[in-house]
Amino acid sequence: MKEWIERAVVYQIYPKSFQDTNGDGIGDLRGVISRLDYLKELGVDVVWLNPVYRHSGADGGYDISDYRAIAPELGTMEDFDELLAQAHARGIRIVMDLVVNHTSTEHPWFIESRRDKTNDKRDFYVWRPPYRGGVPNGEQSMFSGSAWKLDEATGEYYLHMFAEKQADLNWKNPRVREAVYEMMRWWLDKGVDGFRMDVINLIAKPDEVTACDGGPHRNGFNGPMQGAYLSEMNERVLKGRDVLTVGETGGVTPSEALVYAPLDGSRLTMIFQFEHMDADAGPKHKWTDKRVSLPKLKQVMARWQTELRGRAWNSLYWNNHDQPRVVSRFGCDADEESRTRSAKMLGACLHMMQGTPYVYQGEELGMTNYPFASIEESLDVEAIGAYRELVIEKGEMTPEQMMAAIRFKGRDNARTPMQWTAGKNAGFTSGTPWMPVNPNCERINAASQVGDPDSVFSFYKRLIALRHELPVVCRGDFTLLMPQDEQVFAYTRQYEGETLLVACNFSGKTAALDDAAKTRGKRLLGNYPDAGDAGALRPWETRVYLL
Ligand code: TEU
Ligand code: CA
């Protein structure tokens, strides 16, 4: 593991919701440039930018129509170059989103591909004839409904594992792979510092998934060729370059992680696993408002810590642009005291583990979920599709149940504008924001937190600094304490004779600590002004000690 990556903390920016500078209500690249000093103050090392490429508006930029152009609403390539230069001048690296499982149906490759069956780009995508007059098989889109769409021009179906406008590329075609690698080299030559790779474990679909056999919905993730494609990508693009790569890999197990992100650097630097994000799933998958069971969450987190140890590298995240706000999900946003305490507690719990922490914009302020009242307020293709399927078509959930689930888990919660100030539109825009600003911006905003030593922001700043300062935070062996406890998440990290003790209360009630978890030694961090009783944690309390 490269030393800078071992100590790095990444900040994720969803540019459309970060900072608008020209009053059109949409965040832009100049907005990101204008906030680089804020990121410097926080102390992060790397920024991951969600897609900034030209797109067709179906899925928040994940439907790319030109990999080498900036979306006009976000700015120009000159703006991008300036952002890169200005970030580098501050010692901040830039990691781009790489979306190559699919392109937009407006991408020139697809426009050519769909024209007829013999054109040069036909095999860039997955085309199949009808099976007995209908869809080739029962494969389902991640956004509800069939994953096959009939295209009138040739009478064949194309595969789209996400929205209809997101056509899956055919990775079996070596020309597709080379075209992707060439594009990646183009960005790296420009000076970007790596890639976050969207659904990268979906590119090597097993043959059954695309078979024209009327078969059932199967799982297209983690196909047999995955390792080979990633080795090839490494060989042709990444090898010899000082980059950070992180693969988004839903459904992977720790043993599969060893295939994707081995420590020898032969494939990816690390992956995003999803097991802890699925720990609170119910019978309708993510669509539930049920709270997570803490023993289960701990078991998942601990397993990833121990099973990757010395073999592969973890990423650490509670939040991203696809997840609800963690303080509302695993903490408590009911009152200000609980919100700030639980936001800090969740930060400490995650950041003191081994791996690379990711902070999603606004997480460092303890931003919360948004009070969506009805489905008409949802902008996200996932929520709209799920509502249609589960409420309207199948009647498996009532509108009230589904809205409760969308409020608790919907992706739009992450995408409301960043809260900079208590003023108009939270200082995000002088115009009309593309998405409503959370009304709680009056009490939750950066302006009030940056200079306040007791703020969530200052606490995150301290967490990031601790990782930079203490080798035990980067390298220590992880041991889970009190695994069955329903309130306490406690663990130790051990490195070269030093022990870090982290104790967190995931509840609003006092919680007793076992002997092994009793706080002792030197207090590094806490979210109460005083040390308190060594054998008990107060509501939402966190303590970090060096023994
Ligand atoms: O997400 C991949 C993915 O599997 C999502 O469907 C995820 O399960 C869901 O958002 C959780 O609610 C990536 C991107 O992060 C997402 O924003 C895109 O919509 C998707 O790929 C398609 O590109
Ligand atoms: Ca703008």
Side-chain angles (χ1 to χ4, degrees):
M1 180 56 47
K2 290 186 198 99
E3 217 183 293
W4 73 265
I5 295 182
E6 196 182 56
R7 289 156 26 107
V9 177
V10 183
Y11 189 87
Q12 183 191 348
I13 293 182
Y14 194 75
K16 199 177 176 185
S17 299
F18 194 58
Q19 176 70 70
D20 178 26
T21 55
N22 64 352
D24 66 356
I26 299 172
D28 43 52
L29 294 180
R30 302 217 67 84
V32 179
I33 296 172
S34 74
R35 294 298 182 179
L36 285 171
D37 287 330
Y38 170 84
L39 302 180
K40 185 79 197 153
E41 171 72 18
L42 183 59
V44 296
D45 307 277
V46 181
V47 164
W48 152 28
L49 285 180
N50 278 109
V52 295
Y53 315 96
R54 192 182 287 271
H55 63 91
S56 48
D59 183 25
Y62 283 92
D63 47 328
I64 297 169
S65 52
D66 187 344
Y67 288 112
R68 299 180 203 208
I70 300 296
E73 74 276 17
L74 299 182
T76 64
M77 195 54 86
E78 288 68 48
D79 295 334
F80 180 84
D81 292 339
E82 187 182 334
L83 167 59
L84 192 59
Q86 296 256 7
H88 285 170
R90 289 167 177 80
I92 297 173
R93 301 184 204 233
I94 302 281
V95 163
M96 304 293 280
D97 220 303
L98 180 79
V99 188
V100 292
N101 174 70
H102 44 266
T103 73
S104 167
T105 50
E106 292 177 18
H107 192 288
W109 295 342
F110 190 82
I111 292 172
E112 190 176 343
S113 184
R114 83 183 339 168
R115 201 174 296 144
D116 53 56
K117 292 185 190 171
T118 55
N119 74 74
D120 182 60
K121 296 285 186 299
R122 186 63 171 180
D123 284 344
F124 264 48
Y125 297 86
V126 184
W127 291 100
R128 294 291 180 268
Y131 177 80
R132 294 187 183 158
V135 290
N137 63 39
E139 209 52 49
Q140 292 288 300
S141 154
M142 235 67 86
F143 294 151
S144 308
S146 173
W148 295 101
K149 171 80 179 166
L150 183 65
D151 200 45
E152 301 293 344
T154 57
E156 290 195 337
Y157 290 84
Y158 68 87
L159 182 70
H160 64 89
M161 293 308 302
F162 294 90
E164 273 178 29
K165 278 201 159 175
Q166 293 166 301
D168 282 51
L169 284 163
N170 173 21
W171 272 71
K172 279 191 182 162
N173 183 346
R175 290 173 60 223
V176 167
R177 306 206 295 276
E178 191 45 47
V180 168
Y181 303 154
E182 198 192 322
M183 176 271 285
M184 292 172 74
R185 287 190 294 260
W186 187 84
W187 282 101
L188 291 171
D189 289 344
K190 225 181 203 311
V192 308
D193 303 287
F195 297 103
R196 173 270 186 186
M197 302 183 186
D198 193 57
V199 286
I200 200 67
N201 61 332
L202 193 54
I203 59 175
K205 291 165 199 54
D207 288 342
E208 321 78 270
V209 169
T210 57
C212 189
D213 63 356
H217 174 52
R218 301 122 164 162
N219 182 354
F221 288 96
N222 310 317
M225 289 300 285
Q226 269 299 149
Y229 292 161
L230 292 176
S231 293
E232 183 184 79
M233 179 191 279
N234 189 289
E235 192 66 35
R236 304 237 192 124
V237 181
L238 306 168
K239 200 168 146 187
R241 302 205 196 224
D242 189 22
V243 293
L244 182 158
T245 54
V246 50
E248 189 209 22
T249 54
V252 292
T253 61
S255 60
E256 283 163 337
L258 306 180
V259 175
Y260 291 100
L263 280 186
D264 67 8
S266 59
R267 290 189 182 122
L268 304 176
T269 319
M270 66 188 105
I271 57 160
F272 289 128
Q273 60 86 14
F274 276 68
E275 259 195 284
H276 64 310
M277 293 286 102
D278 296 337
D280 56 2
K284 299 286 167 244
H285 310 284
K286 72 182 269 183
W287 302 115
T288 169
D289 62 354
K290 183 176 71 88
R291 284 181 73 94
V292 73
S293 136
L294 186 64
K296 184 167 176 191
L297 183 67
K298 291 190 288 190
Q299 183 216 331
V300 170
M301 299 299 282
R303 194 172 66 230
W304 281 87
Q305 287 287 297
T306 50
E307 291 192 19
L308 264 48
R309 168 110 204 128
R311 308 203 283 168
W313 192 251
N314 279 303
S315 66
L316 305 169
Y317 72 96
W318 289 138
N319 266 117
N320 61 40
H321 64 293
D322 292 334
Q323 300 296 336
R325 294 286 177 176
V326 71
V327 71
S328 305
R329 183 182 190 175
F330 297 153
C332 176
D333 64 9
D335 60 274
E336 271 306 277
E337 191 171 327
S338 305
R339 183 188 68 81
T340 51
R341 284 210 210 290
S342 62
K344 293 174 188 174
M345 181 279 289
L346 288 160
C349 183
L350 190 75
H351 280 244
M352 294 297 102
M353 290 189 199
Q354 186 177 40
T356 300
Y358 287 74
V359 180
Y360 179 69
Q361 63 185 46
E363 181 182 342
E364 77 281 13
L365 307 175
M367 273 177 62
T368 68
N369 280 354
Y370 182 90
F372 294 100
S374 79
I375 190 64
E376 281 71 43
E377 287 181 82
S378 293
L379 299 175
D380 179 25
V381 58
E382 183 190 56
I384 294 167
Y387 190 96
R388 194 186 52 232
E389 182 182 325
L390 295 171
V391 178
I392 299 171
E393 288 169 11
K394 298 188 178 160
E396 291 175 0
M397 288 174 84
T398 66
E400 292 71 29
Q401 285 169 331
M402 189 62 187
M403 282 319 298
I406 287 175
R407 269 192 297 276
F408 195 53
K409 299 289 269 304
R411 307 198 297 182
D412 281 329
N413 286 302
R415 302 175 183 183
T416 63
M418 177 74 174
Q419 293 165 208
W420 295 106
T421 70
K424 189 183 165 220
N425 297 323
F428 164 69
T429 180
S430 59
T432 307
W434 75 278
M435 195 176 182
V437 173
N438 197 312
N440 65 23
C441 71
E442 283 168 27
R443 44 191 173 89
I444 307 173
N445 59 72
S448 65
Q449 293 197 28
V450 172
D452 172 4
D454 286 333
S455 66
V456 180
F457 179 91
S458 296
F459 193 88
Y460 265 76
K461 200 173 146 179
R462 184 80 191 114
L463 288 172
I464 294 164
L466 276 179
R467 175 165 298 264
H468 292 155
E469 288 158 17
L470 298 180
V472 67
V473 175
C474 300
R475 301 194 175 154
D477 276 321
F478 177 96
T479 307
L480 183 67
L481 307 173
M482 306 175 64
Q484 299 308 328
D485 196 276
E486 306 267 350
Q487 291 169 277
V488 175
F489 193 152
Y491 58 87
T492 58
R493 305 280 313 281
Q494 285 170 299
Y495 182 69
E496 293 188 341
E498 258 184 349
T499 300
L500 189 75
L501 172 68
V502 182
C504 301
N505 184 354
F506 272 66
S507 80
K509 295 192 183 111
T510 303
L513 292 171
D514 278 4
D515 280 346
K518 276 200 174 115
T519 49
R520 55 208 188 270
K522 182 183 168 206
R523 184 173 187 246
L524 294 179
L525 203 61
N527 61 351
Y528 277 79
D530 59 292
D533 169 2
L537 293 174
R538 290 161 282 189
W540 307 110
E541 183 166 13
T542 182
R543 295 177 193 166
V544 181
Y545 279 71
L546 201 56
L547 313 188

